[in-house]
Amino acid sequence: MKIKYEKIKGEKDTKARLGLIHTNYGTVKTPMFMPVGTQATVKTLSPEELKAINSGVILSNTYHLWLRPGEDIVDRAGGLHKFMNYDGPILTDSGGFQVFSLADKKNISEEGVIFKSHINGEKLFLTPEKSIEIQNKLDSDIAMSFDECIPYPADYDYAKKSTERTLRWAKRGKEAHKNENQSLFGIVQGGEYADLREWSAKETVKLDFDGYSIGGTSVGEDKKTMYKMIDDAIKYLPEDKPRYLMGVGDPIDILEGVERGVDMFDCVLPTRIARHGNAFTRNGKINLKNAKFKEDFSPIEEECDCYACKHYSKAYIRHLIVANETFGQRLLSIHNLRFLIKLTEDIRESIKEDNYLEFKNNFISKYNNK
Amino acid sequence: MKIKYEKIKGEKDTKARLGLIHTNYGTVKTPMFMPVGTQATVKTLSPEELKAINSGVILSNTYHLWLRPGEDIVDRAGGLHKFMNYDGPILTDSGGFQVFSLADKKNISEEGVIFKSHINGEKLFLTPEKSIEIQNKLDSDIAMSFDECIPYPADYDYAKKSTERTLRWAKRGKEAHKNENQSLFGIVQGGEYADLREWSAKETVKLDFDGYSIGGTSVGEDKKTMYKMIDDAIKYLPEDKPRYLMGVGDPIDILEGVERGVDMFDCVLPTRIARHGNAFTRNGKINLKNAKFKEDFSPIEEECDCYACKHYSKAYIRHLIVANETFGQRLLSIHNLRFLIKLTEDIRESIKEDNYLEFKNNFISKYNNK
């Protein structure tokens, strides 16, 4: 069965929307934040810990799983859910983002992309068909079309050609797609150009995907440009399909995205900053390596309901991080993911109550004034 | 309250004994294996995961906690139990083992040991009184006397002088000990010399400690010598106090120790080998990095009741280890610790049933013939 998006309501003053996505692995609420499990594991965490923080969909990376352990092994294990013991919905990316960061521009052709493996330097070739074939075998619930993530800034000519090629790749991927239990999303590109975003959105929608992603953001552009990229694309996307803003996990960006009608977000940020001792708080980010937390026996946040905040002090987590003990990363990953998931829970509540802007402004003013 | 050892029964054909240790944090069964949480965390694991594998006492390291975060911080946190959120009994070592491995022989004096911090090279001085003072502040349930772990081989003269000094240090430590809720163990040294082991055991027992440890094993000697060291010491230890063989975690050594009357074991082995992809099995150790496990979708051991074996395949854990994902170490640590704890559960059952030697021989012949 393909996923099914159900819109519950739109917020009174904004384009924010409350919805449900029905999947083969349960129904999840939107707007939502999806933890990233690059190599078939959300770094340091168990599936039970992800459930405990109320995570819905998790994301895994096609490029990484293609190289290690290989999609055939995941297939023979019974698919990604069984392989990694996660019985909630899983989304896989297309591999495009990683591949383009490893490829020379001259190795991008109409057919696909030649690049070097980050593991052993081996020369590899990824095409739209191959990306879909790998994702079919991984058996995720949602697969992504293979696209080029246009760098920022990019000249108009390059952006146009790339956007047109991404559309041709989307068609090829859709034709290659064989897994009846897997949904496929199209990706809107177009760089920073409103007319290209419009063209890309309209043409991609014509191909009738199960959902649409806004790609090519968070690639170095300023925030204003990023929000404009969302605006320029989202108005051409259908109401009855989910909209996904890829690679976005900053709390303020999530709030801005939701206001513009985005339903799904993902980012490695919460687990990556955890490894460096950083924690989200409602009063802004803090770094537990800071000496002022040495004897701070209070939790990261008194009001947080996560396992880390219920049982451990800043002083203890600081000790673990300074002593390079993995359990410290684990506690911070739990907290940071819970922070973003709780943010989306509060967002959903405010959409329900039709006071989204008030909620958003309160959150941001608190978050920016530590 | 100090701990209290209660002997339940001796086994028919051996010196193996079934017992209980009553502590302020619950009663634990002996013989037992104690997981090591060097830096106030059993690497990669939560306290709940330790409970789930039925761990009793866990061990933590005085040297490491002295340096980081410092015993005063642990003290102000409310002690080690509260600091690390572990409500089972905790044993701390004396720091001696680490300090001697970092010190020049010429820097060992009657007063104590000068050595360099492994973190920043700072010159530090540890004495029997200081070791006890630190442990008092850590507030573990069982503290260890500061001793010199004699290297192997050692000439008789050195071993004699060191053993005599260890006894003087034990006295000084006992006098310095102030924590009424903490028990203190004496340590039998004597190297490979039967008469020194006898002298050390008898003199240490005269000081009347809450338990006794057999030290200076697992330092490079062959197995026969190690077992003889145990025999030479244990016959002079009282029946009504627990006996602890420090640093031993090889399954066969545990079995040999129990046969000789040992009640307590600890070792970093199960978590250390986990980090390199090794797993204990009833048919011997296996290394999951081995290519033959690439498509092995069965658990490490079908008969194992641990979380890793209930939910994950060798192929998945292999993938995590090869991809350097911490969750792989976590799963292998759970399995390896559970393996040793289950071994002690089976040992206790066989003592109860008076068929220890049969159990031991069956286990060893299976373990050695993979």
Side-chain angles (χ1 to χ4, degrees):
Chain A
M1 193 190 83
K2 305 273 179 183
I3 63 154
K4 174 94 192 104
Y5 174 76
E6 182 185 344
K7 185 176 166 179
I8 303 294
K9 80 179 283 266
E11 202 262 347
K12 172 169 63 77
D13 303 314
T14 66
K15 291 184 182 136
R17 47 196 231 147
L18 200 66
L20 297 171
I21 301 178
H22 304 286
T23 83
N24 292 319
Y25 288 84
T27 293
V28 291
K29 294 173 181 171
T30 59
M32 72 170 160
F33 177 80
M34 307 184 285
V36 179
T38 301
Q39 304 192 105
T41 170
V42 175
K43 286 196 189 303
T44 77
L45 302 185
S46 70
E48 290 78 9
E49 284 166 325
L50 293 169
K51 292 287 173 74
I53 56 172
N54 203 21
S55 81
V57 177
I58 63 167
L59 191 142
S60 202
N61 290 100
T62 292
Y63 164 75
H64 289 91
L65 297 178
W66 176 33
L67 266 58
R68 265 190 326 213
E71 69 280 13
D72 286 325
I73 285 181
V74 176
D75 186 22
R76 285 197 276 274
L80 197 46
H81 294 87
K82 206 169 164 205
F83 186 58
M84 68 182 289
N85 184 37
Y86 191 73
D87 66 359
I90 302 175
L91 181 151
T92 44
D93 67 0
S94 70
F97 186 79
Q98 288 79 18
V99 160
F100 280 95
S101 73
L102 296 166
D104 272 342
K105 246 188 190 177
K106 66 175 181 348
N107 287 327
I108 307 171
S109 68
E110 184 64 27
E111 183 55 20
V113 186
I114 297 168
F115 66 99
K116 281 184 180 168
S117 156
H118 78 287
I119 297 170
N120 57 16
E122 193 192 345
K123 215 182 241 184
L124 294 164
F125 188 50
L126 192 58
T127 65
E129 290 83 3
K130 180 73 187 170
S131 167
I132 294 296
E133 187 199 315
I134 298 167
Q135 294 183 77
N136 279 181
K137 286 187 176 170
L138 295 176
D139 200 26
S140 54
D141 301 279
I142 300 172
M144 300 302 297
S145 295
F146 189 69
D147 66 324
E148 181 184 3
C149 176
I150 299 171
Y152 178 87
D155 66 59
Y156 185 84
D157 214 51
Y158 183 85
K160 185 165 186 287
K161 282 188 177 137
S162 169
T163 301
E164 289 167 357
R165 185 172 51 206
T166 284
L167 186 77
R168 292 191 295 275
W169 284 357
K171 267 184 214 170
R172 282 167 53 190
K174 193 155 191 287
E175 278 159 26
H177 191 262
K178 302 281 180 238
N179 188 331
E180 276 307 309
N181 285 313
Q182 185 180 62
S183 301
L184 182 61
F185 278 28
I187 301 177
V188 179
Q189 289 291 349
E192 69 232 61
Y193 303 102
D195 63 324
L196 296 183
R197 287 276 172 191
E198 176 180 352
W199 182 86
S200 178
K202 286 179 169 169
E203 293 300 316
T204 308
V205 168
K206 280 185 198 161
L207 296 179
D208 190 24
F209 286 98
D210 303 306
Y212 298 91
S213 174
I214 297 158
T217 69
S218 270
V219 290
E221 78 281 8
D222 57 275
K223 296 286 184 190
K224 215 182 115 193
T225 304
M226 177 181 159
Y227 305 147
K228 188 175 169 299
M229 286 173 172
I230 302 171
D231 287 329
D232 289 343
I234 212 162
K235 56 185 155 192
Y236 306 107
L237 298 180
E239 275 293 309
D240 63 344
K241 296 285 168 73
R243 296 103 170 243
Y244 165 27
L245 185 60
M246 296 193 294
V248 167
D250 175 82
I252 295 177
D253 292 343
I254 289 177
L255 286 160
E256 295 290 346
V258 166
E259 185 175 342
R260 288 164 172 79
V262 175
D263 306 304
M264 303 160 71
F265 303 85
D266 82 284
C267 196
V268 295
L269 190 74
T271 44
R272 178 172 291 163
I273 67 173
R275 293 200 288 286
H276 301 288
N278 290 292
F280 286 127
T281 83
R282 277 139 192 88
N283 299 306
K285 253 185 289 185
I286 58 173
N287 191 312
L288 290 178
K289 287 184 184 167
N290 193 312
K292 75 176 171 187
F293 299 122
K294 258 190 174 174
E295 303 198 23
D296 186 333
F297 300 117
S298 67
I300 299 168
E301 293 193 285
E302 292 286 358
E303 67 268 50
C304 178
D305 60 7
C306 85
Y307 171 74
C309 288
K310 273 193 285 188
H311 298 295
Y312 301 91
S313 66
K314 292 192 204 70
Y316 179 65
I317 299 173
R318 179 185 193 279
H319 161 66
L320 296 176
I321 293 289
V322 169
N324 204 23
E325 284 285 357
T326 312
F327 191 51
Q329 296 176 21
R330 188 173 152 191
L331 291 175
L332 284 178
S333 294
I334 288 172
H335 172 77
N336 287 342
L337 287 171
R338 178 59 193 151
F339 181 89
L340 292 185
I341 288 170
K342 179 68 167 70
L343 171 61
T344 60
E345 290 170 5
D346 293 345
I347 283 172
R348 293 198 297 264
E349 194 56 31
S350 74
I351 298 174
K352 216 182 205 165
E353 310 272 322
D354 280 320
N355 63 354
Y356 184 73
L357 288 176
E358 187 191 337
F359 168 78
K360 177 193 156 199
N361 292 335
N362 283 344
F363 183 95
I364 292 177
S365 85
K366 210 172 159 196
Y367 190 78
N368 281 338
N369 292 283
K370 336 189 170 188
Chain B
M1 192 191 82
K2 305 273 178 183
I3 63 152
K4 174 94 192 106
Y5 175 76
E6 183 186 344
K7 185 176 166 179
I8 303 294
K9 80 177 283 264
E11 201 262 348
K12 173 168 64 76
D13 304 313
T14 65
K15 291 182 181 137
R17 47 196 230 147
L18 200 66
L20 297 171
I21 301 179
H22 304 286
T23 83
N24 292 319
Y25 288 84
T27 293
V28 292
K29 294 173 181 171
T30 59
M32 72 170 160
F33 177 81
M34 307 184 285
V36 179
T38 301
Q39 304 192 105
T41 169
V42 175
K43 286 196 187 304
T44 76
L45 302 185
S46 71
E48 290 77 11
E49 283 165 325
L50 293 169
K51 291 287 172 73
I53 57 172
N54 203 21
S55 81
V57 177
I58 63 166
L59 191 141
S60 202
N61 290 100
T62 292
Y63 163 75
H64 288 91
L65 296 179
W66 176 32
L67 266 59
R68 262 188 331 211
E71 68 280 14
D72 286 325
I73 285 180
V74 176
D75 186 23
R76 285 198 276 274
L80 197 47
H81 294 87
K82 206 169 165 205
F83 187 58
M84 68 182 289
N85 185 35
Y86 190 72
D87 66 359
I90 302 175
L91 181 150
T92 45
D93 67 359
S94 69
F97 186 79
Q98 287 80 18
V99 161
F100 280 96
S101 73
L102 295 166
D104 271 343
K105 244 189 191 176
K106 66 175 183 341
N107 287 327
I108 307 172
S109 68
E110 184 64 25
E111 183 55 19
V113 185
I114 297 167
F115 67 98
K116 281 184 180 167
S117 156
H118 78 288
I119 296 169
N120 56 16
E122 194 191 344
K123 217 182 238 186
L124 294 165
F125 188 49
L126 192 58
T127 65
E129 290 83 3
K130 182 72 187 169
S131 167
I132 295 296
E133 188 199 314
I134 298 167
Q135 293 182 78
N136 278 181
K137 285 187 177 170
L138 295 176
D139 200 26
S140 54
D141 302 278
I142 300 173
M144 299 303 296
S145 296
F146 188 68
D147 66 324
E148 182 185 1
C149 177
I150 300 171
Y152 179 87
D155 66 59
Y156 185 83
D157 213 51
Y158 184 85
K160 185 164 185 288
K161 282 186 178 139
S162 169
T163 302
E164 288 167 357
R165 186 172 51 207
T166 284
L167 185 77
R168 292 190 296 274
W169 284 357
K171 268 184 213 169
R172 283 167 53 190
K174 193 157 192 285
E175 278 159 26
H177 191 262
K178 303 279 180 239
N179 187 331
E180 276 309 308
N181 285 313
Q182 184 179 62
S183 301
L184 182 60
F185 277 28
I187 301 177
V188 179
Q189 288 291 348
E192 69 231 62
Y193 304 103
D195 64 323
L196 296 183
R197 287 277 171 188
E198 176 180 348
W199 182 87
S200 178
K202 285 179 170 171
E203 293 300 316
T204 308
V205 168
K206 278 185 200 162
L207 297 179
D208 191 24
F209 284 99
D210 302 308
Y212 297 92
S213 175
I214 297 158
T217 69
S218 271
V219 290
E221 78 282 7
D222 56 275
K223 296 286 183 189
K224 215 181 115 194
T225 303
M226 177 182 160
Y227 305 148
K228 188 174 168 299
M229 286 172 171
I230 303 172
D231 287 330
D232 290 342
I234 212 162
K235 57 185 154 191
Y236 306 108
L237 298 179
E239 274 293 308
D240 63 344
K241 297 285 169 70
R243 296 104 170 242
Y244 165 26
L245 184 60
M246 296 193 295
V248 167
D250 176 83
I252 295 176
D253 292 343
I254 290 177
L255 287 161
E256 295 289 347
V258 166
E259 185 175 341
R260 287 163 173 79
V262 174
D263 306 304
M264 302 160 72
F265 303 85
D266 83 283
C267 196
V268 295
L269 190 73
T271 44
R272 178 171 291 163
I273 67 173
R275 294 200 287 286
H276 301 289
N278 290 292
F280 287 127
T281 83
R282 277 139 192 90
N283 299 305
K285 253 184 291 186
I286 58 173
N287 191 312
L288 290 178
K289 287 183 183 168
N290 193 312
K292 74 177 172 189
F293 298 121
K294 258 189 172 173
E295 303 199 23
D296 186 333
F297 301 116
S298 67
I300 298 168
E301 294 193 285
E302 292 285 358
E303 67 268 50
C304 178
D305 59 7
C306 85
Y307 171 74
C309 288
K310 274 193 285 189
H311 298 295
Y312 301 91
S313 65
K314 293 192 204 70
Y316 180 64
I317 299 174
R318 179 184 192 281
H319 161 66
L320 295 176
I321 294 289
V322 169
N324 204 24
E325 284 285 357
T326 312
F327 192 51
Q329 296 177 21
R330 189 174 152 191
L331 291 175
L332 283 179
S333 294
I334 288 172
H335 173 77
N336 287 343
L337 286 172
R338 178 60 194 151
F339 181 89
L340 292 185
I341 288 170
K342 179 68 166 72
L343 171 61
T344 61
E345 290 170 4
D346 293 345
I347 283 173
R348 293 198 297 264
E349 193 57 31
S350 74
I351 297 175
K352 216 183 206 166
E353 311 271 323
D354 279 320
N355 62 356
Y356 184 72
L357 287 176
E358 188 191 337
F359 168 77
K360 177 193 155 198
N361 292 335
N362 283 345
F363 182 94
I364 292 177
S365 84
K366 210 171 159 198
Y367 190 77
N368 280 339
N369 292 283
K370 340 188 168 185

